[in-house]
Amino acid sequence: MVSGSGLLPVMVLLPFIGALVPGLMIRAGRNACATFTAVPTVLALVFLGVMAPGVLDGGTVTAKFDWLPALGLNANFMLDGLGLLFAGMILGMGLLITLYARFYLSGDDPMGQFYTYLLLFQGAMLGIVVSDNILLLLVFWELTSLSSFLLIGYWKHLPEGRQGARMALTVTGAGGLAMIAGMLILGNIAGSYDLSVILQHGEEIRASEYYLPALILILLGAFTKSAQFPFHFWLPHAMAAPTPVSAYLHSATMVKAGIFLMARMWPVLAGTEEWFYIVSTVGLITMVIGALIALFKDDLKALLAFSTVSHLGLLTMLLGLGSKMAAVVAVFHILNHLTFKAALFMSAGIVDHETHTRDIKRLGGLASLMPVTALIAVVAALSMAGIPPLNGFMSKEMMLEEVAHTHWWGGEWPIIILATLGALLSVAYSFRFIGHTFFGPVRDDYPHHPHDPPVGMLLAPGFLAVLVVLIGLAPMVFAAPIVEAAGLAVTGEAPDVHLKLWHGVTPALFMSMVAVLGGAVLLWLHRPLDRIWLATPRPEAKVMFDTLVRRIALGSRFITEVAHNGSISRYLAIFTVATIALGYAAFQGGGLPAPTRAPLPVPPLVAVGFVLLMVATAATVTMHRNRFRALILTSVVGLMVSFGFVYLSAPDLALTQISVDTVTVMLMLLALHFLPKETPRESPIALHIRDGAIAIAAGVAVAALAYAFLLRDISTISDYHLANSYKGGGGTNVVNVILVDFRGYDTYGEIIVLGIAGLTLYALMEALLDGPASRRLRNWTFPPDRSRDRHPLMMVVATRVMMPIAALVGVYIFLRGHNLPGGGFVAGLVISIALLMQYMASGFGWTQERKRFEYHAMIGWGVVVAGLTGAGAWLAGEPFLTSAFGYFQIWPFEEFELATAALFDLGVFLTVLGAVMLMLYSLSRLARYAGETVNIEPMDYDPSRRADAPEAADGKKDEG
Amino acid sequence: MELVVATSLGGLTAAGIYLILRLRAFPVILGLTLLSYAVNVFVFATGRLTVGLPPVLSDGASAYTDPLPQALVLTAIVISFGMTAVLVLIALGAFLEAGDDRVNIEDETKTTGENDA
């Protein structure tokens, strides 16, 4: 452990914070924008530099923050040698790319956007390499996929850019999903998601039965990200991105994330047969195939892309070999590949920029026209080919040396031949890159006459080319310390790193010579070979990918159209059947314990009620075509259910059920007025049978379930409520105390829902009356058989007398609610029924004129009163909705209780009353809209008036 | 008694399910009403059945009925009313605008498809 841990998370955050800046600074000009983009990168580099010495000495910088400890997701960071190497590469390259892009992007490109994406990507990438928690690592991993999607598709007007971005996101995203699964398995085996802990549990993980699935899933993530065969195809298509992006993401950083992950997990996962054969084979195949395709690509960037694929294969193979030295060589080659490949990409970008083409067949002879660029490209390409004394030569020699004594698929020779072939092809395409672009005769048909670009554009690739040479000439100074530190992090022991150009006469030297000579010969034969290549049929990955995506899209569309065809009956049927099936499966799973409760007896009265209920239910179904009859039968069912509640010791429920049923029936009657009175016969007999079968299955299932649990006891939390109702809530009616106190928050939410339902109804009705429905209503013809006597005298008188009584009952029910059955819900319903009776008996106009409150306001006040009551608890320093109560005595009354819960209940009461009234009021507007007249007098005609007097009071037409 | 309640529940559920699978809005709403009864009774019954036990605290009582499911069901009853009301209005609106109260849009998509072609 070394100090400076606070710097680490800040370093990761810097690019993310900095990402906000370029978008703003672009207004100050392109130079300012680029400068401000560089600031967070430079700062992060400084931080890294402060921490570097400790890490190079073999230490580890850590920083830990709990984020979601319950999930094992902690913001833990760790900087060891491997992290330092990658962080240095990411930040250093980031700086160079910022500089290069400043000159590369044209004035038409939105530069602020570019830099923002770039910094986001940089931060995500940095996060990957310093995460000490695999879940955190996954978050950053997905962030790189997303930000690279934005960068690849940066030129939004190019279809190739959009398609390439989509393909990259699909492939790497799918791999990322697989990796999530693999990481979760890994974390489960190790018992922690912290990387440092997992790294300690290598033995255990390799011995686990879940090792192979975890390995395959994690490798899927790494292979897709690092473009390994057969997922290599996305990388060339991602070359539609601007060249700075290609240089940064597709040579230096993102594609190395998979390599990084394999290196990171190397101590845990490597060393088994499975690892050896899967990883080394995939790597070797990728290396050879990538190199072969690269040789025949005419697009400079495509050539480099496939060469990158090939080199990533090489790295994968090295890690796959499983020997410690091979892993160290891989680390060294990561560094070397970065230097020469990024320089090459930037040179290709410069050529493209200057000549306006990247087609090798249209280029050649550029060396004399743009000598500096040519020099940089030649140095870098020779390093890629593995020519001494450049750095690429050294890592290639070391690679061949490792390969030369590896026993693979039955001997040393297969791998030696394949690796040499890969190296040979690599020499060939490297030579072709420089030979066909910069050498040969100067042409006069370039799309644009080339010359060296401004110095700013050359600085970055030039710097990298210098590094190529320096590492080649003095590897022990410029590369050994970091390779040693990273090698230590990967293999767990300090490697013996001796980097030098001359290793003596070894097998690797011969393989190298074969490769260089063979490569030269291949280039010489390139023209005829190219013809053969073009004539040979090859599988086209993009076509296959597009076909696959199209098929998947068609498949999901088919499933969607079958399951989601607009038929709600079908959804409900599918849903019901699925529920029954799941329930059945659950029933099969656990055994059923013996019954613990004795069945209660069935008195004759209950038997009568049961028969009535079943008959009414059955009749509702059989007679449902006559809608009015079905509605009345439903209310009989409701009545029986209420009786059931009475009998089974639930008076509160019975009260509520009866009052709700009453208003429901009124509401349905109002609606039925405008709906067809009959349901036509239209479903075929097969449908009836199907639905009947489903319904009976569901009924049997519910009955069986209910019967099963009714005979068995459970432990409940109700005892707590019973014990504390009086002590804590001050009420003896436990149901009411639960509603207004224990679970007051629920109730608060519920009255808000009810209020919203009421307002929704009002708003829907408003919309309806403005829409096409209004025309239909205007032309409404009422059936001729309707009653002439709309407001019968007897009913008017009776309801007028009932009103004060009903109101009194309502108030009584409300007041006693806390201690006896009743409460705000029931009281609200009772009062609304009393009011509704007035509307029905005396007519709309007469009642409306006497109305003192707006129903909307009543809903609002109800919620406000309940909310304020709850908030009042804060004043006493208690949590929201804590109730308080006390007992008072005022002469001449008996002692009585006052509880804030009653005030809360008042809010419930007001909301329920307002919502119910608003709903029915809204529905009744339909009738008036359709031409129903309203009266102002309590009756349509005044019996006290003489019969021959003119009828003045027939009323106005409301809303007409 | 348990058998009676379970059978009632089964009957209500079967009737409710059958009705919500009909093709017109009104039976569907009736079916939902029956299903709400079934669900409410079901939730209530999870407190197990008791006869003649007080739900209100008193000094003489030795045992009580389970108050918690009752409180839950009480609000459920009121909320299901609100839901029914909204559904009724939606059905009404659909009927008044479209001229029939079918719940499925299969046929309609077919006809619009023909119109497009």
Side-chain angles (χ1 to χ4, degrees):
Chain A
M1 297 282 161
V2 296
S3 63
S5 60
L7 290 180
L8 192 53
V10 177
M11 182 183 83
V12 177
L13 278 178
L14 268 172
F16 287 112
I17 298 167
L20 302 171
V21 178
L24 297 172
M25 287 314 294
I26 188 64
R27 288 162 198 280
R30 289 151 65 83
N31 282 329
C33 182
T35 313
F36 273 91
T37 309
V39 169
T41 316
V42 171
L43 267 180
L45 264 176
V46 169
F47 287 5
L48 191 68
V50 171
M51 290 181 282
V55 175
L56 287 176
D57 288 344
T60 308
V61 183
T62 54
K64 291 183 191 299
F65 302 95
D66 281 353
W67 184 6
L68 295 171
L71 292 180
L73 172 52
N74 295 321
N76 291 353
F77 298 98
M78 166 181 84
L79 186 73
D80 60 0
L82 187 66
L84 178 66
L85 170 68
F86 270 91
M89 281 168 29
I90 292 159
L91 291 170
M93 271 307 292
L95 200 57
L96 295 178
I97 291 295
T98 308
L99 173 68
Y100 179 77
R102 157 66 190 86
F103 295 96
Y104 180 85
L105 291 179
S106 79
D108 303 335
D109 297 323
M111 190 185 256
Q113 231 175 59
F114 180 85
Y115 280 135
T116 297
Y117 296 163
L118 197 73
L119 281 176
L120 281 179
F121 171 79
Q122 185 178 308
M125 201 60 216
L126 204 56
I128 290 184
V129 300
V130 298
S131 288
D132 183 23
N133 183 289
I134 51 178
L135 297 180
L136 187 68
L137 189 149
L138 287 171
V139 172
F140 286 120
W141 185 275
E142 298 296 337
L143 276 179
T144 60
S145 289
L146 290 176
S147 50
S148 77
F149 173 79
L150 293 172
L151 282 169
I152 297 171
Y154 173 69
W155 280 327
K156 299 181 186 71
H157 54 279
L158 296 180
E160 304 88 54
R162 298 196 300 270
Q163 287 161 12
R166 200 169 54 201
M167 188 191 278
L169 184 69
T170 312
V171 177
T172 57
L177 286 180
M179 199 173 89
I180 290 178
M183 289 295 199
L184 291 178
I185 297 178
L186 208 61
N188 263 345
I189 302 175
S192 166
Y193 293 111
D194 280 352
L195 202 54
S196 40
V197 177
I198 290 174
L199 291 180
Q200 307 289 322
H201 286 72
E203 288 289 323
E204 204 179 309
I205 289 167
R206 281 190 295 274
S208 162
E209 53 176 324
Y210 297 114
Y211 168 72
L212 191 60
L215 175 71
I216 290 174
L217 288 168
I218 291 176
L219 285 181
L220 271 177
F223 287 170
T224 48
K225 200 80 162 181
S226 283
Q228 295 299 296
F229 179 84
F231 309 112
H232 62 283
F233 57 89
W234 70 264
L235 185 56
H237 288 288
M239 291 298 145
T243 302
V245 175
S246 309
Y248 194 32
L249 272 65
H250 304 129
S251 78
T253 53
M254 192 179 84
V255 290
K256 298 249 175 67
I259 305 291
F260 167 82
L261 193 83
M262 284 189 272
R264 185 46 103 205
M265 291 292 166
W266 196 88
V268 177
L269 297 176
T272 60
E273 288 275 294
E274 294 95 331
W275 169 275
F276 175 73
Y277 280 110
I278 297 176
V279 179
S280 66
T281 308
V282 167
L284 208 52
I285 292 176
T286 312
M287 176 179 163
V288 176
I289 287 187
L292 187 65
I293 301 176
L295 182 57
F296 297 104
K297 282 288 168 191
D298 291 330
D299 180 358
L300 284 180
K301 277 178 78 180
L303 188 154
L304 291 176
F306 277 104
S307 92
T308 306
V309 169
S310 168
H311 278 269
L312 291 168
L314 187 156
L315 291 168
T316 305
M317 180 201 70
L318 279 172
L319 289 169
L321 292 183
S323 76
K324 289 189 173 168
M325 200 53 213
V328 174
V329 177
V331 170
F332 185 37
H333 193 67
I334 288 171
L335 182 62
N336 294 338
H337 179 250
L338 164 95
T339 52
F340 63 70
K341 187 54 63 65
L344 283 172
F345 263 115
M346 291 189 201
S347 318
I350 292 173
V351 170
D352 185 19
H353 201 256
E354 294 299 321
T355 65
H356 292 194
T357 183
R358 298 195 311 242
D359 190 343
I360 293 185
K361 292 201 166 128
R362 303 183 64 183
L363 294 169
L366 292 180
S368 56
L369 294 171
M370 33 201 312
V372 183
T373 314
L375 181 66
I376 294 169
V378 167
V379 168
L382 288 180
S383 176
M384 176 158 81
I387 305 296
L390 303 169
N391 60 358
F393 168 73
M394 257 182 298
S395 45
K396 192 190 66 180
E397 283 279 295
M398 291 163 82
M399 178 273 285
L400 291 173
E401 185 64 40
E402 285 305 309
V403 161
H405 40 78
T406 298
H407 191 86
W408 183 79
W409 293 116
E412 276 91 14
W413 281 108
I415 192 168
I416 288 179
I417 292 172
L418 282 175
T420 314
L421 180 64
L424 185 151
L425 289 167
S426 168
V427 171
Y429 66 66
S430 304
F431 285 176
R432 176 157 185 253
F433 180 85
I434 41 178
H436 289 184
T437 310
F438 294 102
F439 299 110
V442 176
R443 300 167 65 147
D444 49 12
D445 60 345
Y446 306 117
H448 186 261
H449 189 71
H451 48 74
D452 267 327
V455 180
M457 210 163 171
L458 286 169
L459 274 178
F463 176 77
L464 289 167
V466 170
L467 266 186
V468 166
V469 179
L470 286 181
I471 295 178
L473 292 177
M476 291 310 283
V477 179
F478 291 99
I482 182 70
V483 171
E484 217 162 297
L488 167 69
V490 176
T491 61
E493 61 184 54
D496 195 14
V497 179
H498 289 292
L499 307 175
K500 53 186 177 188
L501 285 169
W502 179 248
H503 285 265
V505 183
T506 54
L509 189 68
F510 289 112
M511 288 155 76
S512 225
M513 281 156 66
V514 171
V516 173
L517 290 176
V521 172
L522 265 191
L523 184 64
W524 184 57
L525 290 173
H526 187 267
R527 197 173 291 262
L529 285 176
D530 196 32
R531 239 172 271 133
I532 298 171
W533 175 263
L534 290 177
T536 335
R538 298 177 305 277
E540 180 57 56
K542 183 168 190 298
V543 177
M544 285 155 71
F545 175 80
D546 285 345
T547 315
L548 183 69
V549 169
R550 202 170 43 245
R551 293 233 173 101
I552 293 173
L554 277 178
S556 37
R557 190 171 302 145
F558 172 74
I559 293 173
T560 312
E561 276 168 5
V562 166
H564 191 106
N565 63 347
S567 161
I568 195 170
S569 312
R570 181 179 295 198
Y571 309 159
L572 289 171
I574 292 174
F575 175 76
T576 312
V577 171
T579 312
I580 297 171
L582 279 177
Y584 183 76
F587 239 110
Q588 297 302 305
L592 200 58
T596 54
R597 293 172 72 95
L600 297 170
V602 184
L605 194 63
V606 172
V608 172
F610 168 67
V611 170
L612 260 175
L613 175 85
M614 294 308 274
V615 168
T617 310
T620 309
V621 173
T622 49
M623 299 188 194
H624 79 266
R625 296 191 187 289
N626 184 332
R627 294 179 169 184
F628 180 70
R629 207 177 289 163
L631 181 60
I632 300 303
L633 285 165
T634 317
S635 65
V636 173
V637 175
L639 200 62
M640 288 305 121
V641 171
S642 310
F643 285 158
F645 284 140
V646 172
Y647 182 73
L648 295 168
S649 327
D652 278 295
L653 292 191
L655 272 174
T656 317
Q657 184 76 66
I658 285 191
S659 6
V660 164
D661 273 349
T662 314
V663 284
T664 308
V665 169
M666 287 187 199
L667 181 106
M668 302 272 256
L669 280 174
L670 272 173
L672 199 54
H673 190 52
F674 288 94
L675 286 171
K677 307 292 173 286
E678 302 275 331
T679 304
R681 290 180 183 277
E682 53 189 356
S683 38
I685 202 81
L687 202 67
H688 282 287
I689 294 173
R690 184 200 75 174
D691 294 346
I694 294 176
I696 288 171
V700 169
V702 168
L705 179 61
Y707 188 65
F709 77 66
L710 279 175
L711 287 180
R712 285 160 185 85
D713 282 304
I714 38 152
S715 63
T716 78
I717 54 167
S718 301
D719 293 338
Y720 170 83
H721 294 120
L722 285 167
N724 287 287
S725 174
Y726 190 70
K727 258 192 303 181
T732 54
N733 180 5
V734 188
V735 175
N736 184 270
V737 175
I738 290 175
L739 281 177
V740 298
D741 193 331
F742 291 126
R743 307 202 58 83
Y745 222 149
D746 283 359
T747 311
Y748 188 52
E750 268 150 354
I751 59 170
I752 290 175
V753 170
L754 194 68
I756 291 173
L759 293 172
T760 308
L761 214 76
Y762 181 78
L764 279 175
M765 184 57 83
E766 198 78 6
L768 190 67
L769 294 181
D770 282 342
S774 67
R775 214 174 327 123
R776 204 180 287 266
L777 281 173
R778 289 280 177 223
N779 299 325
W780 198 266
T781 46
F782 290 98
D785 60 342
R786 66 196 187 121
S787 165
R788 300 260 161 228
D789 190 7
R790 295 191 302 172
H791 306 293
L793 178 63
M794 284 307 292
M795 196 162 156
V796 174
V797 174
T799 52
R800 210 70 67 76
V801 175
M802 287 284 285
M803 180 66 196
I805 302 174
L808 194 67
V809 171
V811 172
Y812 172 66
I813 287 181
F814 174 78
L815 284 179
R816 70 179 218 149
H818 212 42
N819 290 318
L820 289 166
F825 275 112
V826 187
L829 289 164
V830 167
I831 301 275
S832 52
I833 292 170
L835 285 174
L836 285 171
M837 290 196 313
Q838 303 305 313
Y839 276 101
M840 278 168 38
S842 302
F844 187 87
W846 183 84
T847 319
Q848 194 69 5
E849 280 216 335
R850 281 153 186 80
K851 191 181 72 167
R852 298 282 183 277
F853 312 98
E854 279 300 324
Y855 299 129
H856 310 71
M858 206 180 270
I859 297 177
W861 276 117
V863 174
V864 167
V865 167
L868 283 181
T869 311
W874 287 334
L875 296 179
E878 300 278 346
F880 188 61
L881 279 173
T882 310
S883 70
F885 58 94
Y887 297 88
F888 304 91
Q889 188 159 28
I890 302 172
W891 189 87
F893 299 106
E894 280 190 52
E895 187 189 67
F896 60 95
E897 180 198 359
L898 281 179
T900 58
L903 213 51
F904 181 77
D905 220 10
L906 179 67
V908 174
F909 166 79
L910 286 175
T911 313
V912 170
L913 180 58
V916 171
M917 292 311 294
L918 188 61
M919 287 173 185
L920 291 159
Y921 165 77
S922 303
L923 270 173
S924 72
R925 289 179 64 195
L926 270 184
R928 280 171 290 131
Y929 218 76
E932 187 81 74
T933 53
V934 294
N935 58 329
I936 297 178
E937 294 300 312
M939 281 169 283
D940 280 345
Y941 67 98
D942 188 348
S944 66
R945 199 174 293 164
R946 285 199 359 238
D948 54 336
E951 278 195 44
D954 201 36
K956 62 177 176 32
K957 211 170 154 183
D958 189 51
E959 299 195 57
Chain B
M1 191 69 206
E2 276 75 7
L3 194 59
V4 166
V5 171
T7 318
S8 313
L9 271 175
L12 284 172
T13 311
I17 297 270
Y18 181 79
L19 285 178
I20 63 166
L21 294 177
R22 297 304 90 215
L23 304 178
R24 298 288 177 145
F26 197 78
V28 172
I29 294 172
L30 284 187
L32 273 176
T33 312
L34 290 185
L35 263 186
S36 318
Y37 288 145
V39 171
N40 288 340
V41 173
F42 187 91
V43 174
F44 164 71
T46 54
R48 307 303 185 260
L49 305 182
T50 50
V51 176
L53 289 183
V56 175
L57 299 178
S58 61
D59 292 333
S62 59
Y64 295 98
T65 177
D66 192 340
L68 192 59
Q70 293 196 18
L72 297 180
V73 170
L74 200 149
T75 47
I77 292 172
V78 180
I79 294 285
S80 65
F81 164 71
M83 186 195 68
T84 310
V86 172
L87 267 181
V88 163
L89 190 81
I90 290 172
L92 251 180
F95 172 70
L96 289 175
E97 301 217 332
D100 69 42
D101 64 343
R102 284 172 211 278
V103 291
N104 298 337
I105 55 168
E106 289 169 293
D107 302 334
E108 228 165 315
T109 49
K110 265 179 212 155
T111 47
T112 49
E114 278 160 21
N115 290 346
D116 289 346

